[in-house]
Amino acid sequence: MFWSDATHLTQFGNASTWPVYLFFGNQSKYACACPTTNACHPITFIPSNISNILTHCKRELFRALWRILLDDEFVDAYRNGVVIKCYDGVSIRKKQKSVLLAALRDKGDCPCPQCFLPKSCFNQLGLKADISARIKSVRLYLRDKIVVARKAIYQLGAPIKGTAAECLLKEFSLVQTLNTFTERLGHLGLDFFPILVVDLLHEFELRVFKSILKHLIRLLYAINHEAVALLDERFRSIPSFRKGAIQCFPSNISDMKQRAAQHFEDILQCAIPAFEGLFPDSHDEVV
């Protein structure tokens, strides 16, 4: 019979583990309850940070599904095209295009899917030096590093987020998963990194700007509650502009309840005059 439960190891601190024990069912319960009989046999220890394992399993499942979809028939169609019979009876061969995904680390040091430029160089974004740096550090598929990291995990028992894998992959924002698209279509000359584009809707308007807006409103609450009311009043006074360009703002934008991406896009376009003068002079120019 197996038994398992989380165990706190120390009286002070957060050190914990999750052991799995084995008991023989035909052994007396009095013997099992006595620590000196050694009737409890430790089998294994479940990692306390199970989220890393689940994340890795989801990546592996995603790639495994794509390996099924990208079968030999698909590869042949990608190489030679698909024969389509038109309405007039003429058959044509049409090449297909695919939307592909990269296996990159979320919030890594090199988040760009097209280059290895680190976050520390993001202040040069849009400058000539930034363009030349991106050209020099074009992202490549580093398969050898991923294979070595996978061997350390699957054959040597190294942790998914352990030193053996992180020292190889973290610098390039890679994960321990082979990219199915390159594995199946790379020999045909496919370079999937230039295909990926930035999703402005979800990556910026609903992610970056929404977080910045929340932070600015929290600062206004800390500085002066009346400044938040003045911010809402300024947004209410902004009229709508064209059809579908800028809509009328609700009475209280600081709550940010039931807001869609279009609402945050409108707030972004009108944020500079609305926030002007609400912060102290030393911070107002930065904001």
Side-chain angles (χ1 to χ4, degrees), residues 144-287:
D144 295 338
K145 293 183 178 293
I146 300 175
V147 171
V148 174
R150 289 175 65 87
K151 287 183 178 179
I153 294 172
Y154 289 106
Q155 299 180 11
L156 304 178
I160 294 176
K161 290 287 186 178
T163 306
E166 291 291 287
C167 66
L168 293 170
L169 306 178
K170 186 176 181 180
E171 180 183 359
F172 306 99
S173 296
L174 298 174
V175 294
Q176 305 86 353
T177 305
L178 294 171
N179 191 290
T180 306
F181 303 104
T182 300
E183 296 295 321
R184 295 292 294 164
L185 305 175
H187 65 282
L188 300 177
L190 173 68
D191 184 9
F192 63 90
F193 290 116
I195 299 176
L196 300 172
V197 296
V198 179
D199 186 358
L200 292 176
L201 174 65
H202 296 91
E203 293 291 336
F204 186 75
E205 294 173 357
L206 284 181
R207 194 172 184 179
V208 178
F209 176 69
K210 185 178 180 180
S211 300
I212 295 175
L213 182 62
K214 286 182 179 179
H215 183 65
L216 292 177
I217 293 176
R218 291 192 188 107
L219 291 177
L220 289 179
Y221 272 114
I223 296 172
N224 186 3
H225 285 270
E226 297 180 356
V228 180
L230 180 58
L231 177 68
D232 294 333
E233 182 182 352
R234 288 181 177 179
F235 273 106
R236 288 196 302 267
S237 62
I238 297 176
S240 60
F241 179 73
R242 289 184 180 178
K243 184 178 180 180
I246 297 179
Q247 300 179 356
C248 292
F249 291 97
S251 58
N252 191 353
I253 67 105
S254 58
D255 284 346
M256 292 190 293
K257 295 181 179 179
Q258 297 180 350
R259 300 287 181 265
Q262 182 180 0
H263 300 139
F264 288 103
E265 182 181 359
D266 296 343
I267 295 173
L268 174 62
Q269 297 181 73
C270 305
I272 294 179
F275 278 96
E276 186 176 1
L278 297 181
F279 291 91
D281 296 337
S282 57
H283 302 286
D284 190 57
E285 294 184 359
V286 177
V287 174

Side-chain angles (χ1 to χ4, degrees), residues 3-264:
W3 173 86
S4 177
D5 194 9
T7 304
H8 196 70
L9 298 177
T10 59
Q11 293 181 350
F12 303 97
N14 299 321
S16 63
T17 186
W18 198 309
V20 178
Y21 299 108
L22 180 142
F23 294 88
F24 290 98
N26 57 353
Q27 194 171 4
S28 173
K29 64 178 181 180
Y30 301 103
C32 292
C34 183
T36 58
T37 58
N38 296 323
C40 177
H41 305 276
I43 301 300
T44 186
F45 290 90
I46 301 175
S48 57
N49 191 2
I50 198 70
S51 61
N52 293 333
I53 299 178
L54 293 178
T55 302
H56 179 69
C57 290
K58 289 179 180 178
R59 293 195 188 110
E60 291 292 312
L61 176 62
F62 177 82
R63 298 296 165 179
L65 294 174
W66 273 108
R67 277 195 294 271
I68 297 174
L69 296 175
L70 301 179
D71 54 6
D72 295 337
E73 184 180 356
F74 180 90
V75 174
D76 180 71
Y78 185 88
R79 180 193 293 112
N80 302 317
V82 180
V83 177
I84 301 176
K85 188 174 182 179
C86 300
Y87 182 76
D88 55 2
V90 178
S91 297
I92 61 174
R93 185 175 295 273
K94 183 179 179 180
K95 290 293 185 70
Q96 303 295 316
K97 295 183 179 180
S98 304
V99 177
L100 309 177
L101 301 176
L104 299 181
R105 181 180 306 225
D106 187 30
K107 302 181 182 67
D109 295 333
C110 303
C112 180
Q114 299 185 4
C115 67
F116 289 119
L117 207 65
K119 291 181 180 178
S120 58
C121 299
F122 279 10
N123 60 336
Q124 303 293 326
L125 192 65
L127 302 179
K128 292 183 178 179
D130 174 70
I131 298 175
S132 60
R134 291 179 183 275
I135 295 175
K136 294 178 182 178
S137 60
V138 176
R139 182 174 288 277
L140 303 174
Y141 183 55
L142 305 179
R143 188 181 190 277
D144 295 338
K145 293 183 178 293
I146 300 175
V147 171
V148 174
R150 289 175 65 87
K151 287 183 178 179
I153 294 172
Y154 289 106
Q155 299 180 11
L156 304 178
I160 294 176
K161 290 287 186 178
T163 306
E166 291 291 287
C167 66
L168 293 170
L169 306 178
K170 186 176 181 180
E171 180 183 359
F172 306 99
S173 296
L174 298 174
V175 294
Q176 305 86 353
T177 305
L178 294 171
N179 191 290
T180 306
F181 303 104
T182 300
E183 296 295 321
R184 295 292 294 164
L185 305 175
H187 65 282
L188 300 177
L190 173 68
D191 184 9
F192 63 90
F193 290 116
I195 299 176
L196 300 172
V197 296
V198 179
D199 186 358
L200 292 176
L201 174 65
H202 296 91
E203 293 291 336
F204 186 75
E205 294 173 357
L206 284 181
R207 194 172 184 179
V208 178
F209 176 69
K210 185 178 180 180
S211 300
I212 295 175
L213 182 62
K214 286 182 179 179
H215 183 65
L216 292 177
I217 293 176
R218 291 192 188 107
L219 291 177
L220 289 179
Y221 272 114
I223 296 172
N224 186 3
H225 285 270
E226 297 180 356
V228 180
L230 180 58
L231 177 68
D232 294 333
E233 182 182 352
R234 288 181 177 179
F235 273 106
R236 288 196 302 267
S237 62
I238 297 176
S240 60
F241 179 73
R242 289 184 180 178
K243 184 178 180 180
I246 297 179
Q247 300 179 356
C248 292
F249 291 97
S251 58
N252 191 353
I253 67 105
S254 58
D255 284 346
M256 292 190 293
K257 295 181 179 179
Q258 297 180 350
R259 300 287 181 265
Q262 182 180 0
H263 300 139
F264 288 103

